[in-house]
């Protein structure tokens, strides 16, 4: 839902909530037009002046349930970060999450600042290396957050990222293959979950973590494809040397599985027994899931799984 409503339209919805009317052209957004105006009939053009939209009965309650906390979180973020947040900004949900992530992880990002293409591909996953180049307003916001004039021309030789989302009383640590979860940290802080991201394939930073920092239960959250599962084996080996176990979070269903040849997905199953993965690193149930994925040539994306829900079932 929220992913279908860009920031400039969120501003219009907030105006409707506060003033019961807006002259912003939020009807240009397909979700607002089809769902809120036509299907739910929560918004209507003003009689005699159709350029002004008015909130109908039920809109306020709907907005409070679906959008209020979300809008206030990012409004506060824009104010804290010193970024413009006017109705000309076309940021989508992932743009907003990525900007907040960059702001809160600024120090770590600047330590190993990459080229624009590499930065774009890593932070804006699935959008491509030229995503920032093609969105100048977003690119300028990123440069402002990082407090730099331009990205470097070359990538550093040893770019080792380790991002951490702390919480006051952590009950467990989840190491994520992808950055996605770290872009919405408030959800995990509320559930006493500490998140780590070490750069996907780059697991070397984990070797330097002292024993006192891994006293909490450890979990690994990843794409269920050859790449993600092979990284798990590597991480499991690192922690085994430290005398520490790590639990792989597994999907409860394959209903949301995607074809291996999905756009922007480069990890393919190998033509080897068990795709060349180390079967001993996985439980019997996990081996069955992996064999089903290999047989059907599909994979499960990390973002399609509800981490908090899966952890509650494990605990």
């Amino acid at each position: 839902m929220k992913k279908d409503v860009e920031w400039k339209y969120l501003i219009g919805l907030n105006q409707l909530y506060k003033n019961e009317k807006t002259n912003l052209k939020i009807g240009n957004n397909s979700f607002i037009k089809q769902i809120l105006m036509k299907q739910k009939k929560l918004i209507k053009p003003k009689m005699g002046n159709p350029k002004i939209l008015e909130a109908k009965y039920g809109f306020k309650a709907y907005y409070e349930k679906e959008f209020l906390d979300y809008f206030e979180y990012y409004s506060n973020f824009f104010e804290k970060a010193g970024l413009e947040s006017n109705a000309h900004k076309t940021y989508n949900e992932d743009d907003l999450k990525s900007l907040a992530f960059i702001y809160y992880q600024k120090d770590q990002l600047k330590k190993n600042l990459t080229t624009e293409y590499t930065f774009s591909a890593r932070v804006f996953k699935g959008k491509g290396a030229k995503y920032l180049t093609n969105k100048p307003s977003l690119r300028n916001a990123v440069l402002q957050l990082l407090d730099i004039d331009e990205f470097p021309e070359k990538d550093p030789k040893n770019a080792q990222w380790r991002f951490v989302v702390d919480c006051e009383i952590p009950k467990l640590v989840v190491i994520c293959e992808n950055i996605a979860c770290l872009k919405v940290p408030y959800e995990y802080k509320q559930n006493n979950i500490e998140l780590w991201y070490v750069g996907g394939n780059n697991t070397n930073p984990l070797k330097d973590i002292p024993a006192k920092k891994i006293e909490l239960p450890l979990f690994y959250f990843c794409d269920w494809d050859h790449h993600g599962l092979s990284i798990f084996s590597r991480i499991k080996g690192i922690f085994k040397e430290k005398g520490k176990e790590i639990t792989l979070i597994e999907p409860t269903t394959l209903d949301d599985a995607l074809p291996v040849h999905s756009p922007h997905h480069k990890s393919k199953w190998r033509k080897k027994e068990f795709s060349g993965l180390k079967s001993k690193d996985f439980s019997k149930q996990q081996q069955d899931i992996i064999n089903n994925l290999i047989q059907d040539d599909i994979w499960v994306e990390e973002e399609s799984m509800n981490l908090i829900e899966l952890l509650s079932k494990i605990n």
Side-chain angles (χ1 to χ4, degrees), residues 218-233:
L218 289 177
F219 296 85
Y220 187 63
F221 191 45
C222 66
D223 293 332
W224 276 60
D225 56 13
H226 179 86
H227 187 72
L229 296 169
S230 61
I231 293 174
F232 168 70
S233 285

Side-chain angles (χ1 to χ4, degrees), residues 76-205:
N76 292 333
F77 156 69
F78 280 123
E79 185 176 350
K80 190 184 299 183
L83 290 178
E84 288 185 0
S85 59
N86 56 52
H88 296 293
K89 301 302 179 184
T90 59
Y91 304 141
N92 59 38
E93 184 183 24
D94 190 58
D95 293 341
L96 292 172
K97 289 179 179 180
S98 298
L99 288 172
F101 170 79
I102 293 165
Y103 175 71
Y104 291 113
Q105 300 289 348
K106 169 184 171 181
D107 292 341
Q108 183 61 235
L109 285 166
K110 288 189 71 172
K111 281 182 184 177
N112 295 289
L113 195 59
T114 61
T115 63
E116 181 177 326
Y117 282 6
T118 300
F119 187 95
S120 180
R122 288 185 181 179
V123 177
F124 297 86
K125 185 193 172 188
K127 300 297 179 67
K130 296 183 179 180
Y131 186 65
L132 280 179
T133 304
N134 295 329
K135 296 193 74 171
S137 178
L138 179 63
R139 181 181 186 275
N140 290 336
V142 170
L143 292 175
Q144 183 178 333
L145 289 175
L146 292 172
D147 194 24
I148 58 174
D149 296 323
E150 279 297 336
F151 287 96
E153 293 183 5
K154 295 182 179 180
D155 288 323
K157 292 181 179 179
N158 299 306
Q160 296 186 355
W161 289 357
R162 179 171 171 257
F163 303 117
V164 177
V165 171
D166 294 307
C167 54
E168 282 191 37
I169 310 174
K171 293 181 179 178
L172 52 91
V173 172
V174 177
I175 300 173
C176 304
E177 180 192 357
N178 300 306
I179 292 178
C181 289
L182 281 77
K183 292 181 179 180
V184 281
Y186 58 91
E187 292 182 9
Y188 302 99
K189 289 183 178 183
Q190 291 173 350
N191 287 274
N192 305 106
I193 300 169
E194 184 173 303
L195 300 176
W196 294 1
Y197 172 77
V198 292
N201 193 42
N202 178 25
T203 57
N204 285 330

